[in-house]
Amino acid sequence: MALTQRVPVARARAADAALLAWFAAQGWSPAPFQRQVWRHWQRGESGLLVTPTGSGKTLAALGGALLDGLREAAPASPTSRLRLLWVTPLRALATDTTQALSAPLEALGLPWTVAKRTGDASSRDRRLARQGLAEVLVITPESLALMLSYPETAALLAGLRGVIVDEWHELLGNKRGVLLQLTLARIRALAPTAVTWGLSATLGNLDEARDVLLPHRPGAPVVRGARRRGLVLQTLLPEHGERFAWAGHLGLSQLERVMQLIAGARSAILFTNTRAQAELWHRALSSIWLEAPGTLALHHGSLDTALRLAAEQGLRDGSVRCVVATSSLDLGVDFPAVELVMQVGSPKGLARLLQRAGRANHRPGEAGVVHGVPTHALELAEFAAARKAIAAGEIEARRPPRLSLDVLSQHCVTLALGGGFEPDALLAEVRGTHAFAALSDTQWAGVLRFIERGGQALENYPDFHRAVRGDDGVYRVTDRRVALRHRLSIGTITADGAVAVRFLRGASLGSVEESFISRLRPRDRFQFAGRTLELVAVDQMTAYVRKAKGLSAAVPRWQGGRMPLSTELGAAMEAVLDGPRDSPELRALAPLLDLQARVSALPTPRTLLVETVRTRGRASLFVYPFAGRTVHEGMAALFALRWGRLAPNTFLYAVNDYGFVLNASQPAPVDADLIARLLAPADLLDDLREGLNLTEMARRQFREIARVAGMLVPSLPGGAQRSARQLQASSGLLFDVLQRYDPDHLLLTQAVREVFEAQMDVQALTAAFTRCAARTIDLRQPRTLTPLSFPLWAETVRGELSTEDWSARVRRAAEQLQARHG
């Protein structure tokens, strides 16, 4: 007996020594947080690791599995070699992760195979995954859900030792995270001894993030890794006597300064907030780029995968000097050679700025440096506010969705296809997740009716009969056509209506929205993928193009591209506008702030600034809650509704991240008492229902829900792609049928709920009303537009007919105001 105890101890010591020796050979020593995670793993404990990218998180998460492998004499499961699932949100991350995991395995002599199971995995990797011939499988949430649709997956997962969820913060706040919660619950049922670890950046709700990932392990450890990297934020400031634009610009006036920064760095990333802005900045840089064209690259989510991978590889090997990118490069792909990161325009969020700063000097212990490139004057204050808020430890929370019944319906069909499920057992499993802990018996019965018959209004249509309940009470999918369609639809990323852009004779470039292509005619030119292209023809959902000369061309716009100012950054901005001018940005902005204070007042955290200004003969009401454009949309709509009740009138409104403006068609007196009545937090939901076109908003939201729930037939491989118009028509018809004949359908109810929760962000809207109602109303009546009101005024004239370009009108008006005020 003593000998059998000594042998495992000896093996354990040898395994520890081997891992430490490998660390030493790299010139490293295991960090305390890495050892801590390894100890938890060895004890069979799950948890959440919070540490910056580049600090050693991969080895922290992998080390426990490595020690297990080094200590064991033989494989644990004869039916499947799979031991570790590594879940990653991006395919680009999967490639990097596969390489990072393979290196220590080879060096330590562990005969493990690392395979990748993503949408672009090789046939070899797919075969290894399908046959259980890889010990480590790097996989996306969608591919993991797809695995569960095959009956043999249960046997493949039987010997699983652990699951690592990388970049958990990126999945926490969306439906991809909900789908992953459900798949993890199924994995816990199939491999109950497997541990689960999440890897996350810092969040404002870390305990909640832990509980969402590990609902079965209340109070699981949260291991905080390396101290958060320092942030050095340097903003490009105006020269003495120079004025930045008040509104309506892309920051291209800073082109020369940006180019000087790039020239002094070995490699650089220039981040923008939208894909259209990335295309325009890439075009502007190309026009003055003196090096080989291939050393300047473009990277955003609508480009073809091959183009994005080429840009990433160029950053790694040094062949690309600068990449103009969007959030597609935010996540933790390692680029140690990148020396310079620039952010065009305000990042709109603190977490986003930290993430992007981390792309430079992507090495442990080194501060992240980012150069801010303001696109208009007030963004100087946003950069100053971001620096102070991050230094104070402020960071945004990401709130997890609940009761996404479209995702649950999809998951049920997946399990019915993957061998079947017994409803009572699955209900207990589903209620064990954070997302569905509050699932009612009525809702569960509705989900089962939906996957079996489509619901009350659709039961006579065979296309909606997907799962069949057998005599044994088990739900299964028996129709091969249903199986094919479902597997093609798995996932929650909705990208319908995208038109592929392809050279007439050559490669794919990516995709643009159908609404943009529909406005072009053959021979029209547009800018895309860093090229000026000429449209040749559109065939179904593919636009065929050829290269064109010149730079004057339209640039696609993508829906949903504008990011709202976060609540945390908005509050920080109010604080810096009210505080000492102790930063370079605020000192540079001093003349503009002095002008605002002279003709009106500056916002403060204690007051709500309201301005009434007469412009072109009509009164305009400007309100500045600093709550972001999404919240301001709801506030403006409610102000218009409530004001109209008190005095019938017609209102037009516009919003930006700082506030909103209402223009009344008839004269309407304004005083502090009126503003207080309009700000009352009571009856907010009822007023929203009355003031919004809720049916139309729910109809638009229903399209995404119907796609996720499997109500819309997907395009089949090799077949014609369905256009956005066709999809909208299909979902609109379903919406009308359900609303008329089955108004209590679970997905209709969800569509309305998501309008409030996702589109209107009712939680943030309620908080904004409550916060503003508690403040002192600072009502001012300036004689002219102010620096704060001018950008909102500019938004109101954007849609007016004029022979003059909008940006020219805005520039001319700003010059007139500046001249007037000296």
Side-chain angles (χ1 to χ4, degrees), residues 779-797:
L779 179 59
R780 302 288 174 139
Q781 297 176 323
R783 298 174 61 185
T784 66
L785 290 170
T786 66
L788 280 175
S789 63
F790 180 81
L792 283 165
W793 170 85
E795 289 293 328
T796 66
V797 302

Side-chain angles (χ1 to χ4, degrees), residues 96-327:
D96 265 38
T97 301
T98 301
Q99 295 170 355
L101 298 178
S102 298
L105 291 172
E106 294 172 5
L108 291 168
L110 271 176
W112 287 7
T113 299
V114 181
K116 190 172 67 166
R117 184 64 181 90
T118 60
D120 57 354
S122 66
S123 57
R124 168 191 172 274
D125 279 4
R126 290 172 187 266
R127 177 179 56 81
L128 291 173
R130 188 171 57 252
Q131 297 177 1
L133 299 178
E135 282 78 8
V136 183
L137 189 58
V138 181
I139 194 165
T140 59
E142 292 74 24
S143 294
L144 182 55
L146 180 61
M147 273 186 67
L148 293 179
S149 73
Y150 293 95
E152 58 269 23
T153 297
L156 296 179
L157 296 176
L160 192 69
R161 297 295 187 86
V163 182
I164 306 296
V165 181
D166 202 357
E167 305 282 355
W168 170 233
H169 58 281
E170 287 296 327
L171 298 167
L172 173 65
N174 54 50
K175 288 184 180 180
R176 295 184 75 201
V178 174
L179 181 63
L180 183 58
Q181 289 181 57
L182 290 168
T183 55
L184 289 176
R186 173 50 40 146
I187 289 172
R188 290 194 291 270
L190 297 173
T193 61
V195 299
T196 301
W197 276 85
L199 311 182
S200 175
T202 301
L203 289 168
N205 56 331
L206 278 176
D207 287 343
E208 184 179 34
R210 182 263 324 270
D211 295 341
V212 174
L213 181 68
L214 306 168
H216 62 302
R217 293 288 182 263
V222 175
V223 177
R224 286 171 170 80
R227 190 178 59 185
R228 193 165 73 189
R229 298 178 68 199
L231 173 69
V232 178
L233 173 59
Q234 300 174 349
T235 308
L236 297 186
L237 302 174
E239 300 290 344
H240 181 70
E242 180 187 5
R243 289 172 174 160
F244 279 180
W246 283 20
H249 288 263
L250 294 165
L252 291 174
S253 61
Q254 303 266 43
L255 181 61
E256 184 178 342
R257 291 175 188 148
V258 167
M259 195 65 199
Q260 290 172 356
L261 285 174
I262 295 172
R266 181 174 52 175
S267 61
I269 301 176
L270 179 73
F271 280 110
T272 67
N273 288 339
T274 68
R275 287 166 281 186
Q277 194 177 30
E279 291 278 355
L280 289 166
W281 264 92
H282 183 274
R283 183 170 74 178
L285 285 169
S286 297
S287 68
I288 59 172
W289 195 258
L290 300 179
E291 301 179 42
T295 60
L296 175 65
L298 182 64
H299 195 291
H300 62 68
S302 292
L303 295 181
D304 186 77
T305 302
L307 296 177
R308 298 200 302 270
L309 291 177
E312 292 167 18
Q313 186 56 39
L315 281 177
R316 290 191 192 92
D317 61 28
S319 61
V320 169
R321 285 285 315 283
C322 178
V323 174
V324 183
T326 61
S327 56

Side-chain angles (χ1 to χ4, degrees), residues 691-725:
L692 300 174
N693 186 350
L694 192 57
T695 298
E696 188 55 38
M697 294 178 76
R699 183 193 302 275
R700 290 198 299 268
Q701 192 69 25
F702 181 77
R703 172 180 161 185
E704 176 187 322
I705 291 170
R707 217 287 292 154
V708 171
M711 299 184 79
L712 302 180
V713 178
S715 301
L716 299 178
Q721 298 295 303
R722 304 183 72 198
S723 69
R725 189 172 301 173

Side-chain angles (χ1 to χ4, degrees), residues 25 35 41 60 210 214 232 241 245 299 318 361 423 431 480 518 579 694 766:
R35 292 178 179 272
W41 184 287
R210 182 263 324 270
L214 306 168
V232 178
H299 195 291
N361 296 326
R431 282 180 173 162
R480 293 180 59 187
S518 66
L694 192 57
T766 302

Side-chain angles (χ1 to χ4, degrees), residues 378 437 513 518 609 806:
L378 285 170
E513 290 191 355
S518 66
L609 177 61
W806 175 79

